[in-house]
Amino acid sequence: MKLLFIAPTISNFGGVPKICLTRADYCARVWGDKVHFISQNEAGKKPFFDVDASIIFHNIELGKKNLIFFSSYIKQVQALVNSIQPDIILVFDNGLKAFLLPYFLKTSAKTVFECHSALDVQEQSTTVLFDRIGAPLYKIFKKAAVKRYDLFLALSKASVNEWKVRKNYVIVPNFVENKTGKIASLHGKTVLAVARNAYEKGLDRMLDIWQNVSQQNQDWKLQLITTETGFFDVKQLIAERKLTNVEIVPPQQNIDEFYSEASVYMLTSHYEGFPLVLLEAMAFGLVVIAYNCPIGPREIVKNNENGLLIENNNQEEYISKLNLLLKNFDSREKLQHQAIARASQFSLEEMMTAFNLKVRLG
């Protein structure tokens, strides 16, 4: 079978690149599929995560986002589709171009939109005018556009409901692997966070919380795996809050050791699809605390059973619950067992078997 994956990037750190590259690798390595991958503006760059050597990567060059940008994108994708002649096209993208693609792409291949984001996701803060007029119109367009694909691949039932997809959908959650088998002892005084440096990840509100919590827990540190620059200047955020117990760790392919040596994982996103980092943290036995943002965290975390969910934007509650976790080993230990059990439901083998039956052969 010939598969074509389309995503904005292969070279960046993040959950979506990890999922789509791992899925592509599995299809090529285990099932022997001929896999092609299209990304943009990445000439000469290698995948951030290791993949099977048989996968063929294609780069398309795009300029500034305007009408020429979208026209060039459609033409270059169409040319590659005509050349590759895939059986299935899988799109991992939340940008406008992904929602325009099904209106213009001409192909006999099965087209699949794999949805890794909340409908309301924003890449930056917006104006009141946009929130009142532009955002509702854009959401209507996005919901109509995904129905133009042959199949909507959702990570949860909540995603299906949010996007209002009534037919031609399947649910295949993200997968997780703990290859080391190590489980956190919960004695390490490290709170871990792993996030792209992007608006929706809420790194500013994470550091606002830590500014308060660290005053009462000076023997703990926040270990933040991210890039120093991006939407936020992380060093500046830390300096403004006069924080001394924050360690910035550059993104790297294997972060298993960081998971196994921490005790608590914190997530402060504004929006999430089905956050892989929560699954990974739970697989290593970390106690997770997350804002109950739209829509992913509540699809993984059951409050007070396998982690803690905090009312979105309720900073006071977040600070209180995080303080409790750091001060009380028993509170952490109580949640750990169920966290590991929850993560075990999303093994790579089981999720790829579901993908095979529902998407590849469906």
Side-chain angles (χ1 to χ4, degrees), residues 238-252:
I238 291 171
E240 289 171 349
R241 291 157 179 78
K242 297 180 172 58
L243 297 171
T244 58
N245 53 354
V246 177
E247 178 188 3
I248 304 174
V249 179
Q252 44 204 276

Side-chain angles (χ1 to χ4, degrees), residues 176-201:
V176 65
E177 294 181 281
N178 178 351
K179 295 179 180 179
T180 69
K182 293 182 179 179
I183 298 298
S185 70
L186 302 184
H187 289 290
K189 294 196 172 184
T190 298
V191 175
L192 181 66
V194 184
R196 289 182 298 109
N197 189 335
Y199 164 75
E200 64 266 26
K201 299 304 179 182

Side-chain angles (χ1 to χ4, degrees), residues 181-289:
K182 293 182 179 179
I183 298 298
S185 70
L186 302 184
H187 289 290
K189 294 196 172 184
T190 298
V191 175
L192 181 66
V194 184
R196 289 182 298 109
N197 189 335
Y199 164 75
E200 64 266 26
K201 299 304 179 182
L203 299 184
D204 53 346
R205 59 182 189 167
M206 176 185 295
L207 293 172
D208 285 340
I209 291 166
W210 188 249
Q211 182 181 26
N212 187 299
V213 171
S214 63
Q215 292 174 6
Q216 302 177 51
N217 301 276
Q218 294 184 13
D219 51 342
W220 284 76
K221 73 174 179 179
L222 171 62
Q223 196 168 54
L224 175 56
I225 301 180
T226 191
T227 53
E228 291 183 359
T229 57
F231 184 86
F232 300 102
D233 182 332
V234 178
K235 277 193 170 181
Q236 182 178 338
L237 292 180
I238 291 171
E240 289 171 349
R241 291 157 179 78
K242 297 180 172 58
L243 297 171
T244 58
N245 53 354
V246 177
E247 178 188 3
I248 304 174
V249 179
Q252 44 204 276
Q253 185 182 101
N254 190 335
I255 58 174
D256 290 355
E257 290 301 318
F258 294 97
Y259 281 122
S260 62
E261 293 175 5
S263 292
V264 175
Y265 186 92
M266 68 182 298
L267 183 142
T268 54
S269 298
H270 294 281
Y271 312 94
E272 284 287 351
F274 197 87
L276 177 62
V277 287
L278 285 186
L279 285 178
E280 289 180 335
M282 294 165 77
F284 281 88
L286 273 66
V287 177
V288 301
I289 178 169

Side-chain angles (χ1 to χ4, degrees), residues 1 3 31 33 88 110 151 352-362:
M1 185 171 290
L3 307 181
W31 297 325
D33 291 336
I88 303 175
K110 179 197 291 186
L151 191 65
M352 286 305 295
T353 297
F355 174 83
N356 186 40
L357 295 174
K358 296 179 178 182
V359 180
R360 187 172 170 271
L361 303 179

